[in-house]
Amino acid sequence: MYITVRYGDCQKAIFNPNCRIAALLHDIKAKCQCEMDADVDLSDEIGNVKHLRHAMNRYANEVLGERETFVLLKIDVPDVYGELRYVPLLNDEKAITEAFLTRLSNREGDGRGRRMSRAGNRRMSKDLVKLKQIAQVSQVTLDRDSRGRNNSLKAATPTRTRSRSGSRH
């Protein structure tokens, strides 16, 4: 069993998907001359993203079809609030068409992209709520000292209080 990955200037490489997805993506990055810290994924030849990074411990042959051909994609995250953007790492005008790029940007090909995006947004929302709470607590600490007096120079770290016995908490 093997899969074919298209990348670069109309180049192809063959890989064995009988391994975990994390190992397969590592081998793909090494053989296809990608930066090792880059986030990559695969799409089929019509632009359906496979979302491999969401299943790194699964075996690749459970997700990818035998003898299938895929296009190597780089995942760009524009900013904290932005959507993921998939950039094909294949320079082939015949393969990378407007329809392919539209399907990549919509991520509706197999239906999984939209659900995972919502799950990612929920996680991001929870993280942002936590960050806002931390910022509010830090601001209160900056504005008031332990006796309620204004103290704008106080550090934004939690302070230790003494109990009646004199030991620290």
Side-chain angles (χ1 to χ4, degrees):
M1 179 173 182
Y2 67 89
I3 61 167
T4 304
V5 175
R6 298 182 67 196
Y7 68 99
D9 293 326
C10 301
Q11 294 178 319
K12 295 180 183 179
I14 295 175
F15 296 93
N16 181 353
N18 291 323
C19 61
R20 295 202 188 269
I21 289 173
L24 177 66
L25 290 177
H26 183 271
D27 288 346
I28 288 172
K29 286 190 266 187
K31 193 168 186 177
C32 297
Q33 298 141 4
C34 291
E35 296 174 15
M36 293 310 285
D37 61 342
D39 286 330
V40 296
D41 208 330
L42 298 176
S43 75
D44 61 16
E45 292 185 297
I46 60 172
N48 295 323
V49 179
K50 296 302 175 182
H51 304 287
L52 297 177
R53 67 189 200 123
H54 295 293
M56 296 295 265
N57 289 323
R58 290 185 63 189
Y59 277 82
N61 59 358
E62 296 173 0
V63 179
L64 306 174
E66 183 176 346
R67 297 183 183 189
E68 224 176 325
T69 300
F70 300 98
V71 174
L72 183 59
L73 305 172
K74 181 178 179 184
I75 303 170
D76 282 341
V77 182
D79 59 24
V80 176
Y81 302 106
E83 290 286 322
L84 294 179
R85 192 173 66 119
Y86 295 92
V87 179
L89 297 178
L90 171 65
N91 299 323
D92 184 356
E93 292 177 5
K94 293 177 184 174
I96 310 301
T97 62
E98 279 300 314
F100 180 91
L101 295 173
T102 300
R103 196 163 193 97
L104 272 183
S105 65
N106 289 339
R107 292 189 304 278
E108 295 176 359
D110 60 359
R112 290 188 298 175
R114 183 162 289 193
R115 275 181 283 177
M116 290 188 177
S117 176
R118 287 183 186 156
N121 286 341
R122 278 193 297 273
R123 265 183 289 179
M124 188 183 310
S125 295
K126 288 179 183 178
D127 291 343
L128 288 174
V129 168
K130 287 179 186 176
L131 287 173
K132 286 179 182 177
Q133 290 171 344
I134 291 169
Q136 288 171 349
V137 169
S138 297
Q139 186 61 43
V140 169
T141 304
L142 282 171
D143 291 342
R144 303 246 178 228
D145 67 7
S146 61
R147 295 183 189 147
R149 294 182 293 185
N150 285 338
N151 185 6
S152 60
L153 299 176
K154 190 168 176 128
T157 58
T159 57
R160 293 185 179 180
T161 59
R162 292 187 183 261
S163 66
R164 291 182 186 177
S165 63
S167 65
R168 290 182 174 240
H169 291 123

